[in-house]
Amino acid sequence: MTHDDRHPFETGLDRTGANYVPLTPASFLAGAAASFGENLAVIDGERRITYAALYARCRRLASALSGRGIGRLDTVAILASNIPEMIEAHFAVPMLGAVLNPLNTRLDAATIAFSLDHGRARVLIVDGDFAPLVADALRLVRDRPLVVEVTAPGAADAPFDAVDYEALLAEGDPDYAWAGPADEWQSLCLLYTSGTTGDPKGAVYSHRGAYLQALGNAVTFGLTGGSVYLWTLPMFHCSGWSYPWAVVAAGGTQVCLRKVEPAAIFRLIAEHGVTHLCGAPIVLSMIANADPEVRVSFAQTVRCATGGAAPSSTILRTMEELGFKVTHLYGATESYGPGTACLFQPDWADLPTEARYARMARQGVALPTVEGLMVADPGTGRPVPQDGVTVGEIMMRGNTIMKGYLGNPEATGGTLVGDWYRSGDLAVWHPDGAVEIKDRSKDIIISGGENISSLEVEEVLTQHPAIMLAAVVAKPDATWGETPCAFLELKPGSAPLTDAEVIAFCRERLARFKVPKTVLFGPLPKTATGKIQKFVLREQARALS
Amino acid sequence: MTHDDRHPFETGLDRTGANYVPLTPASFLAGAAASFGENLAVIDGERRITYAALYARCRRLASALSGRGIGRLDTVAILASNIPEMIEAHFAVPMLGAVLNPLNTRLDAATIAFSLDHGRARVLIVDGDFAPLVADALRLVRDRPLVVEVTAPGAADAPFDAVDYEALLAEGDPDYAWAGPADEWQSLCLLYTSGTTGDPKGAVYSHRGAYLQALGNAVTFGLTGGSVYLWTLPMFHCSGWSYPWAVVAAGGTQVCLRKVEPAAIFRLIAEHGVTHLCGAPIVLSMIANADPEVRVSFAQTVRCATGGAAPSSTILRTMEELGFKVTHLYGATESYGPGTACLFQPDWADLPTEARYARMARQGVALPTVEGLMVADPGTGRPVPQDGVTVGEIMMRGNTIMKGYLGNPEATGGTLVGDWYRSGDLAVWHPDGAVEIKDRSKDIIISGGENISSLEVEEVLTQHPAIMLAAVVAKPDATWGETPCAFLELKPGSAPLTDAEVIAFCRERLARFKVPKTVLFGPLPKTATGKIQKFVLREQARALS
């Protein structure tokens, strides 16, 4: 076809440097520095970092790493709590076209060493607070990365050779002309998921996906230049659900938090006018059950996004009373964090309180940047009826689904199947479009041929005033096949509770076959991201029978 | 290079149907219908259209057009006021991969005929209110498109053969499985700019650009599912600044408005709880100067975005008193509408009133989806100092810059130069990053070797209580080269004003050389988009000398 035969809409209308730029979340910082240079980007204790300063620090870091030979697709791992340097890494490493690998600070040295080797980390940035853990991990790695240490207040000297983070920055150019990726599909982040079995899998994000996820979150969560975001979600978790980038895209302020504890949360909310925070259920539980003497009152409403497990009606009620507006989200490392959000609908305001809380506890509807969401039959891949009853698997598709697992085509092929990401989570699909997780398949307890949703039993248990956390699993039973076994963590300072009292409480609120036959008390085992480790409890329940 | 030699981050991590979907604004409607099916998408008089119904109607339209042979890159023109069918076309036509060409309803028949021929329109959707204009245009076109008529209440039968819009919809399938574009760079919209000289130029948008512009506007302007957007901006203007898509991305409601007039604006704001509107300066002027008896009070604050000319302090003050929060925007057809926004900064609240209004009247900073904004020397293309004094040309780059002008490589090459879109607008760049237009170069009056900004003189003139609109142009002068000549439109019902009074008013507020030497009264000539036609006034001033 000659030039003249081309369609007029395909002639003289090509991509140029003026009208096409590969998407990358790093550009949000360049934009914010140009637009809001003197506005506060980051607050960390007494430290204040403006957008102009943050951008200069990130360019220094990118420049210094480049000077040390780090470039396109080289892996830069980071093990840190929610400190400013963690935010800086989320911009500086993408500027280079390198890959950021945030590591879970709650993991053991062997798993960290596995991740460093598997991801071929060439640099490891370490928060001094975790020096002992890193020292152990470094003894196990095959190839030792360049270690960069961020000095932590009060931490001892690191027991390994490391470049000081600020000294590294001093090597760099604050006006560094970074190039970003030539292709927006290029790999941006590597996030190991803490699976319950086997080696961790490394989900890989693209620049395109992170850029879009940041905008999708900003729209869904209402981030603006006036937003003040408190870091109660670990930034190593799905790249902080994209908030390191989303808050910057909106020009808001991020408030760092090294250790998530109720007193600090309340104090920072009041002191800095926090408007938004995210967190696992344990964070909400911590806020809702905070000692009255650490509860500082504040005038603003704080939007609080939570995912991982549906918030109970008790938690929702207490959070509302304290001035929080809770939005339940759903997603996974594979979907860059949130894929759905349970957006409050105007007509819910008229519902009776418990019905309203039940609506708010759903997983909700797709973010605008998600291209498809369905509950489908895992066998046929066809959507189930939107009847609120038929159970299927949650599936999603779009640009905010991971590229795949690093070096693991089998796992990738089992997760990205055809045009869909298969979450492995079982749910019903409501007529209004909202999805609601009924249970992960292994969390369904089958007793005497009847299905029992462990979530339903847990929801009832957490309505008890003395119970802080509840986990219900199947206990093998000679007569019934399985029976529900409840593990309970009580609120600090609550009166002692007996298993008979718990069972009586459940009998008033549940069908008899759903009432736990066995009740145990004590702290619940949790994963590094705060999820209750049901597989541990399942083994304990099995050992009892 | 064999497969095994590829970088691990480029192996087994390819695009699939699960993790890569070409961006198109049409997908926002599919998402909103799935997420908020029963929520109100469109209000038009007594009509109410839910998201489910809107999506079904759009799929019908796409399906019916497909059945009529319309497909990839075929042009569908539309000549309509802000009616629901205009919104429908913004989704149905992109679903087909066809190109939507919204036409300016205020143009003459010859210009409309030119556009239809130049854009090779295969379909023309006509709002019955404009049937006489279209009849004239159809007599002039080379190739007659299929004409589809939307019946307008009270309008006479169209004097040409046309398919009824609702009859066309009845041909279509409400469950039509639309494909969207295979490539997000594909052309989406064709928008002719009403230049002051020569034939109109057709700016071409891409699916990618419109998708990103919609999200950028949603974040910048704070659109949410609770937003109610009133259509006071013509939707044919830069595709309504992307709001037909942006409001849907957020899940909000669009309120249609056939004729922009103060009584209707106030009534709809109060009746539907409008939260957002956009408009040319004439819309703000209309609201601010509305007859007290049509001013209906309302409880909410209405966010009002305006562009085209800086709002005067008088307008800003009155709008604030009436309950509007004005944001000044800047952009062009070539930048999908808004490229910058003058976002209110917290420290402005402490400024004296006039200083605050002066800040708010700047063009502001780049939207987060704009990749670059600078004020640069048009000769060298290098940025000018950010000193608030040095004048240069506003240049932008990014994915929300047009692909180019249809069939006009010369004009494209003169506008997209290297990596930048050249706006032709002259501005200064402030230390805080905001750009401020001093004048289009031709609007600078040079009198006795001194530069006079016509904007500055106009700002003073509109502070006069009797003056509604002011335009100042150069009048050739034997002694001074040029002198300022003021054309004034007075507020309805205001007392008569003499040129001597106006000159005395200006003398108190301006350097003597800036005071208009000539003052004329009467209605000002305006373009189809409501801009004052200074070139007409310039000719009149020239004729006076």
Side-chain angles (χ1 to χ4, degrees):
Chain A
M1 196 184 265
T2 69
H3 181 83
D4 290 333
D5 291 338
R6 288 170 64 199
H7 195 288
F9 279 115
E10 294 181 319
T11 310
L13 299 170
D14 296 331
R15 301 176 188 198
T16 73
N19 62 26
Y20 184 90
V21 177
L23 303 175
T24 171
S27 71
F28 292 136
L29 180 56
S35 298
F36 318 108
E38 294 311 308
N39 289 11
L40 270 188
V42 178
I43 294 174
D44 177 44
E46 297 302 310
R47 264 177 98 185
R48 299 289 180 277
I49 309 177
T50 65
Y51 270 108
L54 180 65
Y55 189 36
R57 285 177 62 84
C58 291
R59 288 163 102 181
R60 279 186 183 278
L61 177 56
S63 163
L65 288 173
S66 174
R68 296 266 186 165
I70 302 302
R72 184 175 180 280
L73 299 184
D74 288 332
T75 300
V76 177
I78 183 163
L79 188 86
S81 59
N82 290 342
I83 57 176
E85 293 77 8
M86 187 71 161
I87 298 171
E88 288 164 8
H90 276 79
F91 289 95
V93 176
M95 285 177 189
L96 288 175
V99 177
L100 184 68
N101 174 215
L103 295 168
N104 189 326
T105 58
R106 296 161 189 162
L107 294 175
D108 58 288
T111 308
I112 288 169
F114 169 87
S115 300
L116 292 171
D117 279 337
H118 187 266
R120 304 190 187 188
R122 293 199 48 200
V123 178
L124 171 61
I125 301 174
V126 179
D127 177 345
D129 277 338
F130 303 100
L133 174 63
V134 168
D136 289 346
L138 288 176
R139 276 189 283 273
L140 300 170
V141 293
R142 201 172 51 229
D143 297 309
R144 197 178 192 280
L146 170 71
V147 181
V148 179
E149 195 199 7
V150 181
T151 308
D157 282 351
F160 45 77
D161 281 340
V163 178
D164 177 71
Y165 185 86
E166 295 297 326
L168 182 69
L169 253 58
E171 296 174 10
D173 175 3
D175 296 318
Y176 180 60
W178 55 279
D183 175 359
E184 65 196 33
W185 186 250
Q186 193 174 307
S187 298
L188 168 88
C189 274
L190 170 65
L191 292 143
Y192 286 96
T193 61
S194 50
T196 48
T197 55
D199 284 332
K201 290 173 289 188
V204 179
Y205 294 175
S206 70
H207 287 259
R208 172 185 172 92
Y211 181 100
L212 293 169
Q213 176 73 352
L215 289 182
N217 270 313
V219 172
T220 302
F221 212 43
L223 296 174
T224 70
S227 296
V228 180
Y229 180 80
L230 178 64
W231 271 111
T232 46
L233 176 83
M235 229 179 291
F236 60 71
H237 190 200
C238 314
S239 288
W241 293 359
S242 90
Y243 280 85
W245 305 307
V247 179
V248 170
T253 303
Q254 305 185 50
V255 181
C256 290
L257 184 58
R258 269 157 224 265
K259 191 161 160 34
V260 177
E261 50 186 19
I265 293 172
F266 277 97
R267 182 176 51 76
L268 293 170
I269 288 174
E271 190 175 332
H272 301 302
V274 167
T275 58
H276 293 78
L277 60 83
C278 299
I282 187 70
V283 173
L284 274 67
S285 179
M286 198 182 269
I287 292 173
N289 296 304
D291 199 325
E293 73 192 28
V294 306
R295 285 187 190 171
V296 182
S297 68
F298 47 89
Q300 75 276 23
T301 298
V302 181
R303 291 198 62 173
C304 170
T306 186
S312 70
S313 53
T314 308
I315 289 283
L316 287 172
R317 183 182 305 108
T318 311
M319 292 296 283
E320 277 184 3
E321 287 164 4
L322 291 173
F324 295 85
K325 185 176 161 193
V326 176
T327 302
H328 185 209
L329 301 173
Y330 164 77
T333 301
E334 290 78 358
S335 64
Y336 291 65
T340 74
C342 190
L343 297 172
F344 196 87
Q345 295 302 307
D347 57 336
W348 296 358
D350 302 329
L351 292 175
T353 310
E354 289 303 315
R356 182 161 61 83
Y357 290 143
R359 291 294 175 95
M360 292 171 66
R362 292 177 177 177
Q363 275 64 26
V365 297
L367 265 60
T369 36
V370 168
E371 295 286 335
L373 164 71
M374 65 175 180
V375 178
D377 182 309
T380 65
R382 295 173 64 94
V384 303
Q386 286 188 233
D387 57 9
V389 174
T390 312
V391 173
E393 183 179 358
I394 297 180
M395 302 190 189
M396 293 191 283
R397 66 187 295 257
N399 299 296
T400 55
I401 297 297
M402 67 164 183
K403 296 174 68 168
Y405 299 114
L406 180 66
N408 197 338
E410 294 79 0
T412 301
T415 304
L416 306 183
V417 182
D419 286 349
W420 294 89
Y421 155 63
R422 300 200 162 203
S423 71
D425 291 318
L426 297 182
V428 297
W429 206 0
H430 288 284
D432 64 4
V435 303
E436 183 180 8
I437 289 187
K438 291 321 258 189
D439 244 331
R440 287 180 180 262
S441 54
K442 57 182 171 293
D443 286 344
I444 290 178
I445 301 158
I446 305 180
S447 188
E450 297 282 353
N451 283 3
I452 302 170
S453 161
S454 59
L455 293 187
E456 186 189 356
V457 184
E458 287 159 11
E459 157 69 18
V460 165
L461 287 165
T462 53
Q463 287 170 17
H464 191 286
I467 296 174
M468 185 157 81
L469 293 172
V472 176
V473 299
K475 175 170 166 291
D477 184 274
T479 308
W480 303 104
E482 295 174 342
T483 58
C485 175
F487 292 83
L488 305 176
E489 192 171 320
L490 300 185
K491 291 179 186 170
S494 65
L497 197 62
T498 66
D499 54 358
E501 283 166 17
V502 171
I503 289 169
F505 182 84
C506 290
R507 283 225 177 125
E508 289 174 24
R509 290 164 178 83
L510 283 173
R512 178 167 283 257
F513 75 93
K514 296 181 179 173
V515 173
K517 302 289 175 289
T518 320
V519 179
L520 296 118
F521 301 91
L524 300 184
K526 299 180 193 73
T527 68
T529 57
K531 283 189 191 174
I532 295 167
Q533 290 179 299
K534 282 210 169 171
F535 69 100
V536 174
L537 299 177
R538 248 177 239 113
E539 282 171 24
Q540 293 181 9
R542 200 171 296 123
L544 289 172
S545 53
Chain B
M1 197 183 266
T2 69
H3 180 82
D4 289 334
D5 291 338
R6 289 170 63 202
H7 195 288
F9 279 116
E10 294 180 319
T11 309
L13 299 170
D14 297 331
R15 300 175 187 199
T16 74
N19 61 25
Y20 184 91
V21 177
L23 302 176
T24 172
S27 71
F28 292 135
L29 180 56
S35 298
F36 318 108
E38 294 311 308
N39 289 13
L40 270 188
V42 178
I43 294 174
D44 178 43
E46 297 302 308
R47 266 178 95 185
R48 300 288 181 277
I49 309 176
T50 64
Y51 270 107
L54 180 65
Y55 189 37
R57 285 177 61 84
C58 292
R59 289 164 101 179
R60 278 186 184 277
L61 177 55
S63 163
L65 288 173
S66 174
R68 296 267 187 163
I70 302 302
R72 184 175 180 280
L73 298 184
D74 289 332
T75 301
V76 177
I78 183 164
L79 188 86
S81 58
N82 289 341
I83 56 177
E85 293 77 6
M86 187 72 161
I87 298 171
E88 288 164 10
H90 276 80
F91 289 95
V93 176
M95 285 176 188
L96 287 175
V99 177
L100 183 68
N101 174 213
L103 295 168
N104 188 325
T105 58
R106 296 162 188 162
L107 294 175
D108 57 290
T111 308
I112 288 170
F114 169 87
S115 301
L116 292 171
D117 279 337
H118 187 267
R120 303 190 188 187
R122 292 197 51 199
V123 177
L124 170 61
I125 301 174
V126 178
D127 177 346
D129 276 338
F130 303 100
L133 174 63
V134 167
D136 289 345
L138 289 176
R139 274 189 285 273
L140 300 170
V141 294
R142 202 172 52 229
D143 298 310
R144 197 177 192 283
L146 170 70
V147 182
V148 179
E149 194 199 7
V150 181
T151 307
D157 281 351
F160 45 76
D161 281 341
V163 178
D164 177 70
Y165 185 87
E166 294 298 325
L168 182 69
L169 254 58
E171 295 174 10
D173 175 1
D175 297 318
Y176 179 60
W178 56 279
D183 174 359
E184 66 196 32
W185 186 249
Q186 194 174 308
S187 298
L188 167 89
C189 273
L190 170 64
L191 291 144
Y192 285 97
T193 61
S194 51
T196 48
T197 56
D199 284 332
K201 289 173 288 187
V204 179
Y205 294 175
S206 70
H207 287 259
R208 172 185 172 93
Y211 181 100
L212 293 170
Q213 176 72 351
L215 289 182
N217 270 312
V219 171
T220 302
F221 212 43
L223 296 174
T224 69
S227 295
V228 180
Y229 181 80
L230 178 64
W231 269 111
T232 46
L233 176 83
M235 228 179 294
F236 60 70
H237 190 202
C238 315
S239 289
W241 293 359
S242 90
Y243 280 86
W245 305 307
V247 178
V248 170
T253 303
Q254 304 185 50
V255 181
C256 290
L257 183 58
R258 270 158 224 266
K259 192 163 160 29
V260 177
E261 49 186 19
I265 293 173
F266 277 97
R267 183 176 50 75
L268 293 170
I269 288 174
E271 191 175 331
H272 301 302
V274 166
T275 57
H276 293 77
L277 59 82
C278 300
I282 188 70
V283 174
L284 274 67
S285 179
M286 198 182 269
I287 292 172
N289 295 303
D291 199 325
E293 72 192 28
V294 306
R295 284 188 188 168
V296 183
S297 68
F298 46 89
Q300 75 276 23
T301 298
V302 181
R303 289 199 63 172
C304 170
T306 187
S312 70
S313 54
T314 308
I315 290 283
L316 288 172
R317 182 182 304 109
T318 312
M319 293 295 285
E320 276 183 5
E321 287 164 5
L322 291 172
F324 294 85
K325 184 177 162 192
V326 176
T327 302
H328 185 210
L329 301 172
Y330 164 78
T333 301
E334 289 80 356
S335 63
Y336 292 64
T340 73
C342 190
L343 297 172
F344 197 87
Q345 295 303 306
D347 56 338
W348 297 358
D350 302 329
L351 292 175
T353 310
E354 291 302 315
R356 181 161 61 83
Y357 290 144
R359 291 293 175 94
M360 291 170 67
R362 292 178 178 176
Q363 275 64 27
V365 298
L367 265 61
T369 36
V370 168
E371 294 287 333
L373 164 71
M374 66 175 180
V375 178
D377 182 308
T380 65
R382 296 172 64 94
V384 302
Q386 287 188 231
D387 57 11
V389 174
T390 312
V391 172
E393 184 180 358
I394 297 181
M395 302 189 190
M396 293 191 283
R397 66 188 295 256
N399 299 295
T400 55
I401 298 297
M402 66 164 183
K403 297 174 69 169
Y405 299 115
L406 180 66
N408 197 339
E410 293 77 3
T412 302
T415 304
L416 306 183
V417 182
D419 285 349
W420 294 89
Y421 155 62
R422 300 200 163 204
S423 71
D425 291 318
L426 297 182
V428 296
W429 206 359
H430 287 284
D432 64 3
V435 303
E436 183 179 8
I437 289 187
K438 290 322 258 189
D439 245 330
R440 286 181 181 263
S441 55
K442 57 182 172 296
D443 286 343
I444 290 179
I445 301 159
I446 306 181
S447 190
E450 297 281 354
N451 283 2
I452 302 170
S453 160
S454 60
L455 292 187
E456 185 188 356
V457 183
E458 288 160 11
E459 157 69 18
V460 165
L461 287 164
T462 53
Q463 286 171 17
H464 191 286
I467 296 173
M468 184 157 83
L469 292 172
V472 176
V473 299
K475 176 172 166 291
D477 184 274
T479 308
W480 303 103
E482 294 174 342
T483 58
C485 175
F487 291 81
L488 305 176
E489 194 171 319
L490 300 186
K491 291 179 186 169
S494 66
L497 196 61
T498 65
D499 53 358
E501 284 168 37
V502 171
I503 288 170
F505 182 83
C506 290
R507 282 224 177 125
E508 289 174 25
R509 291 164 177 82
L510 282 173
R512 179 167 283 256
F513 75 92
K514 295 180 179 173
V515 173
K517 302 290 174 287
T518 320
V519 179
L520 296 118
F521 301 91
L524 301 184
K526 298 181 192 73
T527 68
T529 55
K531 283 189 191 174
I532 295 167
Q533 290 179 297
K534 283 210 170 171
F535 69 100
V536 174
L537 299 177
R538 246 176 242 117
E539 283 171 24
Q540 292 181 9
R542 202 171 294 124
L544 288 174
S545 51

